[in-house]
């Protein structure tokens, strides 16, 4: 069964389609589907179902709506898209196969990562083919159409704009004209569509029509909106009047676009997180956006936000500013120094909205002054900590990264080593990923070493890695690319007392434990110290996983580090012999996607 929100709200299975009639349960279903795979608060759902004026019994009535939806699902055999009651609200689970919106967004993300314009164009056309008209015309929720539908429409317009850019870049001016005549008439205020239409006319040899269209658009702007033409439109008109060559015209238009960010080499996986961040960064320009990506050292936080920033570059005409929050030695930079860099790097007023990336934030106090200086910007933050205090005062959402799933590890090996080499040794490739504990940094280092040894079988590489994992997971020509050094720096940042507690917990007989297992041990023995509070601080620092109400866990590489830390910090070149490989020693299983 598949749900549709890119058009009427529908359920379909093969040729059979059920169009939902306007109702309160339909409002609820639409609101859940637009935020699939995330917890949607009861307060938000009540507003989407009843509007800003809600009945006194709204909460109870919401539960009734959920029951009615579940009965509808049962009636139509919907088994793979459950509605879950979770603390604070509800969640509906969907993927590209069960919801057209997820399919659209994932296809657009793949298009942005394509290696050539033809592939990108084909993927974008496939994504746009999922749209079946205006979104949700059979959903009678004013709040939803006011707050959510415009964001969907903007995503579609962004994809359509990119399609026309690609057609022009590929020299298909006639095909671009066919699309642009419709787009400009459907969206008369959309300046980029008009610029593309004028450019397409001129590049097709129709200079007079191009100038006429330019004049009509300037008159429309003055009459309807009371504003003048953009700098890009003025440059384009001047180029046409001068009869400049076609390539300078394209350059004049492209000059107004935001500068491209370089893509992240070998970026793979994290499809769900990428889609969620791209969606959030598509919010209206006046909506505050703050997204925190947190997790263990080396888990891929920086790569994720830089990849996302590259994907959404066209949405931020004011540019994108990356600020490192630690110095070359890994120590946190002073808040005043960081704030000065942010202030100097932001665009001038009127340049358009900017995207700010604060990488490796140490704590909330370091980030707050920079956020105040960047008011009006969308912000992506990476940190090993969860920064609950910052989220409480500034809002935002948290995305916690875990180790790769097995298929993500496989995709990274394929990206670096090539599909043929990995396919030739599938068992060895799985063994290599398991010996790295499916840790992104460890996998990238191992793959990079194998890439420089094209004749070395993967099986030999896996056996060599097992002999001394922390020493082997390092690149001698780049000190930063060392699992041991990264883990050592993370433990150093804890301070002596907390570092001792971490080493104690990581050396416990089992990688899975509870607070009671640590009580009274080194690092937990001080009077008045509660083991649970210490473990929570370690989890907040990204060195432990999970926690109450379940047990805590330590990743295999961190346990291996702790086992030999008494010999000094483990880094590149340290001759630390590991008795067993990472995967076998800790019985590590690939983390499954949830």
């Amino acid at each position: 069964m598949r749900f549709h929100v890119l058009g009427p709200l529908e359920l379909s299975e093969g040729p059979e389609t059920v169009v939902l009639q306007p109702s309160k349960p339909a409002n609820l279903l639409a609101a859940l589907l637009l935020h699939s795979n995330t917890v949607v608060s009861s307060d938000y759902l009540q507003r989407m179902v009843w509007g800003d004026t809600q009945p006194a019994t709204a909460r109870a009535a919401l539960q009734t709506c959920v029951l009615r939806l579940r009965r509808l699902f049962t009636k139509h055999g919907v088994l793979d898209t459950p509605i879950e009651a979770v603390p604070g609200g509800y969640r509906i689970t969907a993927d590209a196969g069960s919801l057209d919106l997820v399919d659209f967004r994932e296809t657009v993300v793949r298009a942005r990562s394509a290696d050539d314009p033809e592939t990108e164009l084909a993927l974008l056309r496939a994504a746009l083919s999922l749209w079946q008209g205006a979104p949700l015309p059979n959903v009678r929720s004013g709040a939803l159409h006011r707050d959510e539908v415009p964001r969907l429409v903007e995503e579609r317009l962004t994809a359509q704009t990119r399609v026309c850019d690609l057609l022009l870049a590929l020299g298909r001016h006639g095909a671009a004209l066919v699309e642009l005549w419709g787009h400009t008439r459907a969206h008369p205020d959309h300046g980029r569509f008009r610029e593309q239409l004028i450019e397409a006319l001129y590049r097709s040899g129709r200079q007079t029509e191009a100038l006429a269209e330019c004049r009509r658009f300037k008159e429309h702007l003055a009459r309807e909106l009371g504003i003048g033409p953009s700098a890009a439109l003025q440059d384009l008109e001047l180029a046409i009047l001068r009869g400049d060559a076609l390539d300078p015209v394209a350059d004049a238009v492209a000059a107004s676009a935001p500068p491209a960010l370089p893509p992240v080499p070998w970026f793979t996986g994290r499809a769900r997180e990428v889609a969620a961040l791209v969606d959030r960064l598509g919010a209206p320009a006046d909506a505050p956006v703050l997204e925190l990506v947190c997790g263990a050292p080396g888990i891929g936080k920086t790569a994720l936000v830089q990849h996302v920033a590259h994907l959404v570059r066209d949405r931020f005409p004011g540019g994108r500013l990356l600020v490192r929050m630690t110095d070359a030695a890994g120590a946190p930079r002073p808040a005043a120094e960081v704030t000065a860099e942010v202030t100097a790097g932001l665009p001038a007023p009127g340049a358009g909205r900017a995207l700010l990336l604060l990488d490796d934030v140490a704590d909330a106090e370091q980030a707050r002054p920079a956020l105040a200086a960047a008011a009006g910007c969308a912000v992506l933050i990476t940190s090993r900590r969860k920064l609950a205090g910052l989220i409480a005062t500034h809002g935002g959402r948290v995305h916690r990264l875990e180790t790769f799933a097995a298929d993500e590890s496989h995709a990274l090996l394929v990206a670096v080593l090539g599909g043929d080499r990995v396919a030739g040794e599938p068992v060895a490739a799985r063994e290599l990923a398991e010996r790295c504990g499916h840790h992104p940094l460890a996998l990238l280092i191992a793959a990079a070493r194998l890439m420089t040894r094209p004749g070395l079988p993967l099986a030999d590489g896996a056996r060599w890695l097992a002999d001394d994992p922390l020493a082997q997971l390092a690149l001698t020509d780049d000190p930063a690319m060392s699992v041991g050094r990264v883990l050592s720096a993370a433990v150093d940042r804890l301070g002596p007392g907390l570092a001792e507690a971490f080493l104690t917990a990581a050396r416990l007989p089992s990688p899975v434990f509870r607070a009671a297992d640590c009580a009274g041990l080194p690092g937990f023995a001080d009077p008045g110290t509660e083991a649970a509070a210490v473990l929570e601080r370690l989890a907040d620092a990204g060195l432990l996983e999970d926690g109450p109400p379940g047990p805590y866990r330590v990743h295999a590489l961190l346990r291996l580090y702790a086992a030999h830390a008494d010999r000094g910090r483990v880094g590149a070149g340290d001759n630390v012999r590991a008795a067993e490989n990472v995967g076998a020693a800790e019985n590590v299983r690939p983390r499954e996607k949830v």
Side-chain angles (χ1 to χ4, degrees):
M1 187 66 68
R2 183 174 172 87
F3 291 89
H4 302 265
V5 295
L6 304 181
L9 181 60
E10 300 175 344
L11 292 79
S12 68
E13 185 169 19
E16 298 182 1
T17 299
V18 177
V19 180
L20 298 187
Q21 297 301 309
S23 64
K24 294 297 189 292
N27 294 357
L28 172 62
L29 177 59
L32 286 169
L33 290 172
L34 292 179
H35 297 278
S36 62
N37 305 310
T38 60
V39 177
V40 188
S41 70
S42 297
D43 290 341
Y44 170 86
L45 291 173
Q46 289 167 204
R47 191 168 71 254
M48 293 300 108
V49 173
W50 286 280
D52 296 328
T53 303
Q54 302 169 21
T57 58
R59 189 165 294 273
L62 181 64
Q63 296 173 354
T64 302
C65 284
V66 172
L67 291 175
R68 290 174 62 186
L69 279 183
R70 287 173 174 160
R71 293 193 193 105
L72 178 68
F73 285 11
T74 301
K75 176 182 176 181
H76 293 287
V78 179
L79 303 176
D80 56 352
T81 312
I83 299 176
E84 305 171 80
V86 295
Y90 294 88
R91 176 174 56 210
I92 193 166
T93 304
D95 57 23
S98 59
L99 178 59
D100 60 354
L101 178 58
V102 175
D103 194 0
F104 170 77
R105 287 172 172 165
E106 290 186 359
T107 305
V108 169
V109 168
R110 291 202 306 275
R112 291 292 192 182
S113 303
D115 294 329
D116 62 274
E118 291 284 5
T119 302
E120 183 180 359
L121 179 61
L123 287 169
L124 286 174
R125 288 201 182 281
L128 289 167
S129 70
L130 298 170
W131 284 78
Q132 303 299 318
L136 305 173
N138 55 332
V139 174
R140 302 291 191 263
S141 168
L144 189 144
H145 282 276
R146 179 193 66 209
D147 298 341
E148 298 293 345
V149 168
R151 296 171 59 188
L152 287 183
V153 173
E154 189 60 35
E155 289 185 60
R156 184 183 191 181
L157 291 174
T158 299
Q160 290 171 329
T161 303
R162 183 57 182 165
V163 164
C164 294
D165 278 335
L166 290 169
L167 290 172
L168 291 171
L170 292 167
R172 300 177 190 171
H173 311 137
L177 281 172
V178 171
E179 300 207 16
L180 287 165
W181 283 120
H183 293 338
T184 54
R185 274 43 184 177
H187 306 282
D189 298 330
H190 197 289
R192 183 59 186 137
F193 279 151
R194 290 292 190 113
E195 292 166 7
Q196 290 172 321
L197 175 61
I198 294 165
E199 182 184 355
L201 286 168
Y202 180 59
R203 296 179 71 171
S204 300
R206 299 157 68 173
Q207 181 181 26
T208 302
E209 293 176 69
L211 288 171
E213 187 64 29
C214 188
R215 184 180 62 254
R216 279 193 292 269
F217 187 43
K218 291 197 296 182
E219 291 172 352
H220 170 80
L221 291 174
R223 181 179 62 254
E224 301 296 332
L225 304 177
I227 60 176
S230 66
L233 183 61
Q234 294 180 66
D235 290 343
L236 180 55
E237 182 182 27
L238 181 60
I240 296 172
L241 289 169
R242 289 197 305 250
D244 287 351
L246 298 182
D247 286 344
V249 174
D251 292 342
V253 176
S256 66
L261 290 179
V264 178
W266 318 121
F267 187 89
T268 56
R270 309 297 191 199
R272 180 169 297 175
E273 292 84 358
V274 169
L277 288 169
V278 169
D279 174 45
R280 288 284 294 153
L281 291 171
D286 58 349
V289 176
L290 188 152
E291 302 293 301
L292 168 65
V293 177
C294 60
I299 208 71
K301 303 179 291 294
T302 302
L304 173 61
V305 298
Q306 287 188 273
H307 178 69
V308 169
H310 175 69
L311 295 179
V312 302
R313 58 194 182 279
D314 293 337
R315 300 180 184 176
F316 294 92
R320 290 142 301 280
L321 176 64
L322 173 64
V323 177
R324 308 288 186 186
M325 305 295 281
T326 55
D327 59 23
R333 296 172 60 192
E337 178 181 307
V338 169
T339 303
E341 182 177 338
V342 170
T343 303
L346 290 178
R353 196 181 197 194
L355 174 61
L356 174 64
L357 287 72
L358 299 180
D359 185 43
D360 201 11
V361 170
D363 54 42
E365 292 307 313
Q366 185 193 32
R368 283 192 175 106
L371 293 178
C377 295
V379 182
L380 292 177
I381 292 176
T382 72
S383 178
R384 295 170 187 172
R385 302 182 62 183
K386 300 174 186 176
L387 300 181
L390 186 68
I391 297 299
T393 58
H394 287 70
R397 299 191 184 187
V398 179
H399 309 264
R400 186 165 183 82
L401 299 188
E402 304 286 357
T403 52
F404 273 167
D407 61 338
E408 292 175 311
S409 297
H410 181 268
L412 179 58
L413 292 177
V414 168
V416 180
L417 300 175
D420 291 342
R421 191 175 179 186
V422 174
E425 295 185 76
V427 175
R430 288 195 296 272
E431 181 182 6
L432 182 69
E434 289 171 1
R435 292 188 189 281
C436 291
H438 297 274
H439 188 278
L441 178 61
L443 273 165
L444 182 59
I445 292 172
R449 297 197 71 148
L450 285 166
M451 182 174 60
T452 62
R453 297 165 173 82
L456 181 69
L458 300 190
D460 290 350
R463 284 191 292 271
W464 172 76
L465 177 62
D467 189 48
D468 195 355
L470 287 182
Q472 318 296 29
L473 289 172
L475 302 181
T476 56
D477 61 339
D478 187 351
M481 295 294 285
S482 164
V483 171
R485 290 186 187 277
V486 168
L487 299 184
S488 178
V491 174
D492 284 343
R493 196 185 290 186
L494 295 174
L498 204 56
E500 181 183 34
F502 163 72
L503 295 176
T504 296
R507 291 168 179 164
L508 289 172
S510 170
V512 180
F513 53 89
R514 296 180 182 273
D517 299 316
C518 302
L521 297 177
F524 300 88
D526 290 344
T529 299
E530 295 184 3
V534 175
L535 292 176
E536 273 301 287
R537 291 179 63 190
L538 292 174
D540 183 59
L543 296 177
L544 300 182
E545 301 170 22
D546 296 331
Y552 293 93
R553 292 181 294 113
V554 184
H555 188 271
L557 285 174
L558 283 164
R559 281 175 60 80
L560 189 60
Y561 168 85
H564 300 281
D566 54 352
R567 306 183 188 183
R569 288 289 182 255
V570 183
D574 292 337
N575 187 24
V576 179
R577 297 284 297 179
E580 297 171 279
N581 69 76
V582 173
E586 308 303 340
N587 192 25
V588 172
R589 295 182 298 170
R591 177 176 297 277
E592 297 180 353
K593 289 184 176 180
V594 294

